Amino acid sequence: MPGRTVAKLATVSAVVAASVLTVAPTAHADLVTHCIGTGGAVTVPNDLYVPAGESCALTGTTITGNVTVAAGGNLVVTGGRVSGEVRVAADGYLDATDTTVDGQVVLAAGGYGVFLKDARTGTVTVRPKGAATIDSFLFAEASTIAGHVTVGAGEVRLDRGTQVQRNLSSTGTYYTDVHDSFVDGTLSVLNSATGSVVCGSAVRGKATFAGNLGGVQLGPNGGLDSCASGGYWGADVSVTSTTGGVTVDDNIINGALTVTGNEPAAQVAANNRIRGGVTGDQAAATNRAARVAAPDREDAGDGRAEVRRTSAVREATEAGAARL
């Protein structure tokens, strides 16, 4: 489904680059309290504020307090550190590359998005869209989230070795996809408009997929996205009340697989190793294909997802940063 990269993400380059290009050349003294423009390798001894509709680009900057990005603002941080938390208001945008945020990251209802690359943060929260017109996104590449990830709207993609050290929970997103990543707690994807793809990843805790409208694909050879391998699941996996198709291929499940109430019935391939067996309805062609895994253990995560979709956010922000 090429359309899983929605058109909105293609506009990130224009929105962010245009807004940054129009800011003042440097922030200098004003960087002590608020940022409009650019800042370098200095230490901000208190909280920092990005005003509404303005843009701030920081390189090598240390902020000892909290950061607030007001409505419509953009904050791009490269090689920096925030000792507190980062809160982004409606229509606001955060891009953190090679940056550490010791506290939480919170995107308000109707926030534009959060992009993390080679970053480390605390808990990440994306508020439900509510009445806002903007549907947000969370993209993370090669990043560590030292806490929970809770998402209530928009597009979610974890990729390229991203680690979530607690639970990942999404409800009512456009899609929630996990590629080549690790979730150290539970994984829950509920009521996603175009479903969920998990490939080349490991989930230590229980995994629950329910009420998703666009299908659920666990492993390769599904209809939602292209990837090279399945994954490892450390506990039970449940896929229920899903429309659009369910495929389970090339996975190791150290627990039971439940597939009930799905339309059409789930396709469970022969190459899965399911220690606790399968409960529920399966497509006729694969009804006898699933097998119970032997008690030996296999290493997980050796495969790497090869996907059709590219990270438009990553390309866009890098292009924008080159113009700063």
Side-chain angles (χ1 to χ4, degrees), residues 129-213:
K129 178 180 177 181
T133 57
I134 293 177
D135 207 357
S136 50
F137 63 86
L138 168 63
F139 276 14
E141 296 184 358
S143 295
T144 298
I145 299 170
H148 300 289
V149 174
T150 304
V151 186
E155 301 145 76
V156 181
R157 183 182 175 100
L158 308 184
D159 206 345
R160 303 185 184 185
T162 291
Q163 298 184 38
V164 177
Q165 295 184 348
R166 300 295 293 277
N167 302 327
L168 168 57
S169 175
S170 83
T171 303
T173 60
Y174 185 68
Y175 64 75
T176 297
D177 291 358
V178 181
H179 287 260
D180 191 23
S181 295
F182 175 62
V183 178
D184 200 19
T186 62
L187 171 62
S188 175
V189 182
L190 308 178
N191 305 324
S192 177
T194 63
S196 179
V197 177
V198 182
C199 284
S201 299
V203 177
R204 188 183 296 273
K206 181 179 179 180
T208 303
F209 302 84
N212 297 294
L213 302 181

Side-chain angles (χ1 to χ4, degrees), residues 234-248:
D236 294 343
V237 177
S238 174
V239 186
T240 61
S241 303
T242 296
T243 59
V246 175
T247 56
V248 183

Side-chain angles (χ1 to χ4, degrees), residues 71-86:
N74 297 302
L75 174 61
V76 178
V77 187
T78 304
R81 186 176 193 113
V82 179
S83 297
E85 65 181 19
V86 178

